[in-house]
């Protein structure tokens, strides 16, 4: 993803999206390569007040590229994060969305289509 400055463009896009959020929004960022990681030390989405936005954007600046492209790991982690946030009361009554950015094709893990359909189905039941 370093090619042609794509990583810097991706970071700028995510930071731009974060800048549109307000104190009534919750967010987290899931990074992925071979595995997926998150910014949230307590494994739930964080409120996007000025402090939360600054912390999230600063965390993004510490991330780097490398490894495989594992969509499955990314979506599993994102859905786990949403579920943990819902159970923790952080996002009850809120719309939940995933913005997905990648630099390429799946090189590891499975296609996440079934996982996405299952998670959407379960979310619509709640």
């Amino acid at each position: 993803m370093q090619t042609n400055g794509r990583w810097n463009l991706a970071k700028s896009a995510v930071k731009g999206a974060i800048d549109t959020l307000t104190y009534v929004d919750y967010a987290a960022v899931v990074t992925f390569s071979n595995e997926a990681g998150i910014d949230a030390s307590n494994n739930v989405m964080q409120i996007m007040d000025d402090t939360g936005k600054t912390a999230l954007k600063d965390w993004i600046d510490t991330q780097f590229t490398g490894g495989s492209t594992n969509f499955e790991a990314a979506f599993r982690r994102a859905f786990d994060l949403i579920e943990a946030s819902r159970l923790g009361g952080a996002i009850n009554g809120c719309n939940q969305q995933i913005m997905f950015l990648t630099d390429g094709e799946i090189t590891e893990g499975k296609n996440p289509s079934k996982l996405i359909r299952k998670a959407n189905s379960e979310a619509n039941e709640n």
Side-chain angles (χ1 to χ4, degrees), residues 8 12-13 45 69 72 78 83 92 118:
N8 288 332
S12 293
M45 292 186 191
T69 305
E72 179 185 20
E83 183 62 17
N92 291 338
K118 181 177 184 256

Side-chain angles (χ1 to χ4, degrees), residues 6 24 31 36-37 46 49 56 67 70 75 86 115 122 126:
R6 290 184 291 176
V24 297
T31 58
Q46 304 299 306
D49 56 12
L56 190 54
N70 190 336
F75 278 99
R86 186 178 9 241
L115 177 67
E122 290 172 358
N126 293 327

Side-chain angles (χ1 to χ4, degrees), residues 113-126:
S113 297
K114 288 182 184 177
L115 177 67
I116 294 167
R117 282 193 297 278
K118 181 177 184 256
N120 284 336
S121 176
E122 290 172 358
N124 289 330
E125 291 173 5
N126 293 327

Side-chain angles (χ1 to χ4, degrees), residues 31-48:
T31 58
F32 67 100
S33 58
N34 308 34
E35 299 176 350
I38 61 167
D39 67 289
S41 60
N42 56 358
N43 295 320
V44 295
M45 292 186 191
Q46 304 299 306
I47 194 158
M48 289 293 105

Side-chain angles (χ1 to χ4, degrees), residues 32-98:
F32 67 100
S33 58
N34 308 34
E35 299 176 350
I38 61 167
D39 67 289
S41 60
N42 56 358
N43 295 320
V44 295
M45 292 186 191
Q46 304 299 306
I47 194 158
M48 289 293 105
D49 56 12
D50 289 340
T51 301
K53 290 194 290 189
T54 298
L56 190 54
K57 291 190 291 184
D58 287 348
W59 181 82
I60 289 166
D61 284 334
T62 69
Q63 300 306 294
F64 54 90
T65 62
S68 302
T69 305
N70 190 336
F71 291 10
E72 179 185 20
F75 278 99
R76 277 193 192 284
R77 191 65 187 101
F79 290 130
D80 288 348
L81 179 63
I82 289 171
E83 183 62 17
S85 298
R86 186 178 9 241
L87 291 174
I91 60 171
N92 291 338
C94 297
N95 292 325
Q96 291 119 41
Q97 301 175 12
I98 296 173

Side-chain angles (χ1 to χ4, degrees), residues 94-109:
C94 297
N95 292 325
Q96 291 119 41
Q97 301 175 12
I98 296 173
M99 179 173 66
F100 185 74
L101 299 173
T102 182
D103 66 335
E105 302 289 323
I106 297 170
T107 59
E108 186 173 322

